[in-house]
Amino acid sequence: MTDALKRLSDEGVAIWLDDLSRKRITSGNLAELIDQQHVVGVTTNPTIFQKAISSGDGYEQQLEDLAARKVTVDEAVRMITTADVRDAADILHPVFEATGGKDGRVSIEVDPRLAHNTKATIAEARQLAWLVDRPNTLIKIPATKAGLPAITETIGNGISVNVTLIFSLERYREVMDAYLAGLEKAKEKGLDLSLIHSVASFFVSRVDTEIDKRIDALGTPEAKALRGKAAVANARLAYQAYEEVFGSDRWSALESAGANKQRPLWASTGVKDKAYKDTMYVDDLVAPNTVNTMPEATLLATEDHGQITGNTVAGTYEQARADLDAVERLGIKYDDVVQLLEDEGVEKFEASWNDLLASTEAELKRLAPSEG
């Protein structure tokens, strides 16, 4: 074992686990990862919950109780998922205290079926914050066009947010703008800005998956030379945008009022292509004040053989821009790729949510008490 995870933490990268299940909570595994693997946060999404609850492990008693009360399937899913998030938040609370609220965070997603409905997203964010009722929760709101004003309103209400499903540099700038606008609203209301936190989840591996597929279809040596370069280049340019926005006068005014920077969070950092090193999206995206949320396999791979050699983002912007421009010259349109990925991201989470509802409904029916 190397001490790569400690080195990563020392470089200013917060290590979050991209997974949660009741078994992970009750077995002590989450506490162990916090204690031994430098994990300081947890992210969830509809796919993660669908896998956890479909496995059934640890959910039987609660499902039986919910069936006896004849709750709706939507309510059952929310009661189950918020219970897991609440318990995980309690386990992470010492980290939350030790980092002044920066880490020790657990994220929970608004219903993905609301991704294109601003008003319903705002209402759901407020409801989730109330339901989980833990100061170290982040409410996940997708970075769709309808999600942007919902981010502003939710931050303006003093609720901390994890903005998810960001693929494009333009959309990322809009997300940062929505965050600053939310802080300005909160400031007008007299809220304590120091208590509001946010991360912006910039997705990584899916960019390579889609662009590599188009590169492989072209099949030229010139195209193949660009395999596996687009995702890291895109993320590095996102960090450049972060540095610009959080170095602006607009930000300075908020910072002097106690506001916290919205950290870039590298999401989807599990490597999908076996041709690439399995820690590529960790090793190549080391920069201060970032978060890397890793599936457990990536976390353990980084611990075992990650190459953490200091900041790997500084000084790379020119090359990153050149790599994305070279992909564009192949006829692979960046704007088309990132819009497709956003659309697919929302669809995949909605499909997982529907699967989760269906499997939960089946369990409720199975466990329903017989009449009489």
Side-chain angles (χ1 to χ4, degrees), residues 12-24:
V13 180
I15 299 166
W16 290 9
L17 178 70
D18 193 25
D19 189 53
L20 187 63
S21 66
R22 190 151 300 175
K23 188 177 181 184
R24 199 182 279 286

Side-chain angles (χ1 to χ4, degrees), residues 36-284:
Q36 296 177 19
Q37 269 84 18
H38 304 276
V39 168
V40 292
V42 170
T43 47
T44 66
N45 62 46
T47 306
I48 285 168
F49 276 130
Q50 190 265 326
K51 284 178 182 166
I53 296 168
S54 298
S55 76
D57 209 348
Y59 296 98
E60 298 84 351
Q61 185 60 62
Q62 190 176 11
L63 281 162
E64 202 172 310
D65 290 347
L66 292 165
R69 290 173 50 217
K70 298 183 179 177
V71 303
T72 65
V73 65
D74 282 86
E75 187 185 349
V77 165
R78 270 308 178 210
M79 296 305 286
I80 292 166
T81 55
T82 53
D84 280 358
V85 168
R86 195 178 305 115
D87 288 345
D90 288 344
I91 293 167
L92 277 154
H93 197 265
V95 177
F96 173 75
E97 289 285 338
T99 59
K102 191 174 180 180
D103 286 306
R105 296 267 173 182
V106 187
S107 299
I108 185 167
E109 195 120 8
V110 296
D111 185 331
R113 296 172 297 180
L114 308 177
H116 303 296
N117 184 330
T118 302
K119 204 167 184 179
T121 296
I122 294 164
E124 170 96 339
R126 195 183 285 115
Q127 167 77 0
L128 281 173
W130 172 82
L131 202 53
V132 177
D133 193 26
R134 293 295 184 271
N136 51 330
T137 312
L138 290 170
I139 307 302
K140 288 180 85 174
I141 297 176
T144 55
K145 277 292 183 189
L148 294 170
I151 293 157
T152 295
E153 199 62 36
T154 303
I155 291 289
N157 289 332
I159 296 168
S160 295
V161 172
N162 175 343
V163 184
T164 187
L165 290 175
I166 308 170
F167 296 94
S168 89
L169 295 166
E170 182 186 358
R171 183 57 52 83
Y172 177 43
R173 285 185 180 274
E174 291 173 338
V175 164
M176 289 188 283
D177 182 69
Y179 175 60
L180 297 187
L183 288 174
E184 286 158 355
K185 278 190 173 225
K187 187 181 174 186
E188 279 171 29
K189 291 179 186 174
L191 298 180
D192 184 350
L193 300 191
S194 71
L195 299 178
I196 304 170
H197 287 260
S198 183
V199 293
S201 295
F202 200 86
F203 278 56
V204 186
S205 68
R206 293 186 198 183
V207 174
D208 272 342
T209 302
E210 182 58 34
I211 288 180
D212 284 356
K213 185 169 73 178
R214 299 181 187 205
I215 282 172
D216 291 344
L218 292 170
T220 63
E222 181 195 12
K224 285 179 182 174
L226 290 165
R227 279 189 108 256
K229 291 192 174 177
V232 167
N234 199 38
R236 285 171 168 174
L237 291 174
Y239 193 80
Q240 181 185 33
Y242 156 79
E243 288 185 315
E244 285 173 14
V245 170
F246 290 97
S248 67
D249 290 343
R250 184 185 181 192
W251 166 248
S252 295
L254 289 163
E255 189 173 38
S256 63
N260 300 290
K261 288 179 180 176
Q262 180 187 56
R263 286 182 292 172
L265 178 151
W266 311 129
S268 178
T269 55
V271 174
K272 310 284 194 293
D273 191 326
K274 290 194 172 10
Y276 306 145
K277 190 184 175 196
D278 56 1
T279 60
M280 177 168 86
Y281 302 128
V282 179
D283 298 349
D284 293 350

Side-chain angles (χ1 to χ4, degrees), residues 292-304:
N292 195 313
T293 185
M294 309 178 203
E296 189 173 29
T298 305
L299 177 78
L300 297 177
T302 302
E303 180 180 49
D304 184 63

